[in-house]
Amino acid sequence: MSRHRPARSATAEEMLATLGRLTDRARQGAERHKARVELAEALQRSMLPAGLPTVPGLRVAARYAPARHGLDIGGDWYDAFVLPDGSLGLSIGDVQGHDVEAAAFMGQVRIGLRAVAMATTDPGEVLRRANELLLSVDHGLFATCSFLRYDPALRELRSARAGHVPAVWATAGGHGGIVEDETGIPLGILPGEVYPVASRQLPAGGAFVLLTDGVVEGPSFPIEVGLEAVADVVRFAALHGTAAEKLAAQVMGTAALTDHTDDAAVLVLLQDAA
């Protein structure tokens, strides 16, 4: 019968050397992950507008918060730009998926909406043409989106939705709620889709707030509860004349209550009081 020689116990020096190698590998891995996270967030932020334009009588502000889980960046965006007729075009949306591909596709959708809006100011037609454009490139992804046109001369806001989260409104008197306009399906799914258009006047001191589902939906909140929480914030802010930048930050604060893991975007429109 053969005898097995007992394994030799590692010396203290060998154990320390092994521990040092493992620690060094862990440190290098953490540094690589941090660099990838920073690169992903930089990519996402670089595709958002550097600034927001102004038109007479309207104050606009926005906020964006990246996903909490590093590389799980999404495709949320917001945008605002002046159209050839002097009106303001606005969009907010969310691309399917949570990766660099979704973020890159988001940039294409945002720029595509801008290009289409230069040819037609009707929000429903903008979404219809953008939908056909996305289907033509056959990317395999889809996006929810709201597109709006604000006419500063009439104080009129015309909007259309493609499966996106509803907006929230409030008056200077503290009345408000969730906008329940009819919606079409998300962009990039079916050809020939029609997107209904809603029109409304923005009253003096009134607020109109657009957001993505990362603001109002998470493990702690269903989306209905999150929307009601935002509606409360917007009503209070309009009643007390809160500035647009401050209101955008307050609405984004709802995302922390939901314990969200998705990225989140907020776009605030405030009509001047006079």
Side-chain angles (χ1 to χ4, degrees):
M1 179 182 297
S2 61
R3 295 183 178 181
H4 295 284
R5 182 176 299 176
R8 181 179 66 87
S9 299
T11 65
E13 290 80 4
E14 290 171 335
M15 293 178 65
L16 287 173
T18 300
L19 180 60
R21 287 194 298 270
L22 293 174
T23 301
D24 188 55
R25 289 178 188 173
R27 179 185 57 78
Q28 292 177 7
E31 289 176 350
R32 284 195 297 268
H33 179 71
K34 180 181 178 182
R36 293 174 64 199
V37 169
E38 291 175 349
L39 175 62
E41 290 188 7
L43 170 65
Q44 177 78 344
R45 291 185 183 278
S46 71
M47 293 184 181
L48 296 174
L52 297 174
T54 59
V55 294
L58 189 71
R59 290 163 288 156
V60 182
R63 284 288 186 278
Y64 169 77
R68 291 187 177 184
H69 294 313
L71 292 176
D72 288 340
I73 61 170
D76 286 20
W77 84 87
Y78 63 83
D79 199 10
F81 50 95
V82 178
L83 294 166
D85 64 356
S87 62
L88 188 65
L90 306 117
S91 71
I92 191 167
D94 184 359
V95 170
Q96 167 210 20
H98 298 88
D99 51 29
V100 174
E101 183 182 15
F105 185 61
M106 174 272 286
Q108 295 175 350
V109 176
R110 186 175 75 86
I111 297 303
L113 286 167
R114 279 196 177 214
V116 171
M118 294 298 164
T120 175
T121 57
D122 180 80
E125 182 65 9
V126 170
L127 291 186
R128 188 194 70 79
R129 295 188 188 186
N131 181 55
E132 300 300 326
L133 178 62
L134 295 184
L135 288 169
S136 71
V137 299
D138 193 24
H139 201 289
L141 296 176
F142 65 85
T144 67
C145 173
S146 291
F147 186 85
L148 304 91
R149 174 180 175 267
Y150 174 77
D151 185 332
L154 301 176
R155 289 190 171 186
E156 181 186 50
L157 191 63
R158 303 185 72 227
S159 61
R161 282 196 298 147
H164 196 65
V165 180
V168 173
W169 65 277
T171 68
H175 302 289
I178 301 165
V179 178
E180 296 294 354
D181 294 336
E182 187 178 355
T183 180
I185 65 172
L187 304 178
I189 295 180
L190 290 175
E193 181 67 4
V194 174
Y195 297 92
V197 177
S199 299
R200 57 181 50 83
Q201 296 291 127
L202 282 189
F208 197 85
V209 177
L210 302 146
L211 40 84
T212 60
D213 58 6
V215 179
V216 292
E217 186 176 31
S220 301
F221 274 19
I223 192 168
E224 295 82 5
V225 176
L227 281 169
E228 288 294 347
V230 169
D232 289 341
V233 170
V234 176
R235 280 191 290 262
F236 184 87
L239 180 62
H240 292 84
T242 302
E245 289 286 347
K246 185 175 180 180
L247 176 54
Q250 290 174 344
V251 172
M252 184 61 80
T254 307
L257 300 177
T258 67
D259 195 27
H260 78 111
T261 56
D262 198 0
D263 54 343
V266 172
L267 187 60
V268 168
L269 312 180
L270 283 185
Q271 183 69 56
D272 285 347

